[in-house]
Amino acid sequence: EADIYQTPRYLVIGTGKKITLECSQTMGHDKMYWYQQDPGMELHLIHYSYGVNSTEKGDLSSESTVSRIRTEHFPLTLESARPSHTSQYLCASSAIPGQGLNNEQFFGPGTRLTVL
Amino acid sequence: AQSVTQLGSHVSVSEGALVLLRCNYSSSVPPYLFWYVQYPNQGLQLLLKYTTGATLVKGINGFEAEFKKSETSFHLTKPSAHMSDAAEYFCAVSEGYGGSQGNLIFGKGTKLSVKP
């Protein structure tokens, strides 16, 4: 079944730790996205990628980094977590816009990160 | 720059009553418009979208929205609310072309409560 997966769903970690949030999709999509969502707030785009070896920064500045070595995998890494990184992180994917395909974004269930 | 304004961070209706969630957008180019729903501790699910063509768009779960260019609005409606409609609703606008084509700008969201 085509889907988009995120692990872990919940993560509580201490300040200074390195963390990687995983995102994988079996949708066959080229474009992938990471959003940050604070409680009761809108989503802000922090990273996106058009395909393998492509990464772009989004509208919201973030200390996180991303990589795209495989089409279906788009992990997000924080080298040194801080309490200000506490948030929900949502991964999404879509077809490349303009290719005549439905280009709506499909979202994973999210990772809720708490940094103590 | 594009932006989305959702009027009312919290809307409460009785079961069986009309649901109206307001969304106004700002865009210098023809917009693509989306409504997403988010249930607690889950990702976003697409309700409906407008790209081109018919301005009245029907979506899942009985929701529909009408694109009004003159009013720069894309309000979401449902004739009769159900308890299961209680969730957070996000309006989003996407650039139709250009370097950030397909990237979404989200509104702050409207939390819908449904009273029995």
Side-chain angles (χ1 to χ4, degrees), chain B residues 6 22-23 28 42 60 73 93 102-103 105 115:
Chain B
Q6 291 184 240
R22 299 179 187 274
C23 173
S28 59
Q42 294 188 25
I60 62 172
S73 69
V93 63
N103 291 358
I105 306 296
K115 299 174 291 185

Side-chain angles (χ1 to χ4, degrees), chain B residues 10-115:
Chain B
H10 193 183
V11 171
S12 182
V13 301
S14 298
E15 191 173 20
L18 172 71
V19 175
L20 171 60
L21 304 182
R22 299 179 187 274
C23 173
N24 288 90
Y25 70 91
S26 172
S27 177
S28 59
V29 299
Y32 291 179
L33 295 159
F34 303 80
W35 275 101
Y36 282 86
V37 61
Q38 185 179 32
Y39 297 100
N41 298 316
Q42 294 188 25
L44 276 68
Q45 180 184 9
L46 181 70
L47 278 176
L48 48 80
K49 69 174 182 178
Y50 168 79
T51 53
T52 58
T55 56
L56 181 62
V57 181
K58 295 186 183 299
I60 62 172
N61 301 339
F63 284 94
E64 62 182 37
E66 187 171 10
F67 170 62
K68 292 186 177 181
K69 184 178 179 180
S70 60
E71 298 177 8
T72 60
S73 69
F74 191 56
H75 302 330
L76 181 71
T77 61
K78 182 175 180 177
S80 177
H82 192 272
M83 296 296 290
S84 61
D85 294 327
E88 186 99 25
Y89 292 80
F90 292 92
C91 182
V93 63
S94 168
E95 294 187 46
Y97 50 87
S100 55
Q101 183 182 21
N103 291 358
L104 294 177
I105 306 296
F106 284 88
K108 292 183 183 296
T110 298
K111 185 174 182 179
L112 176 66
S113 299
V114 182
K115 299 174 291 185

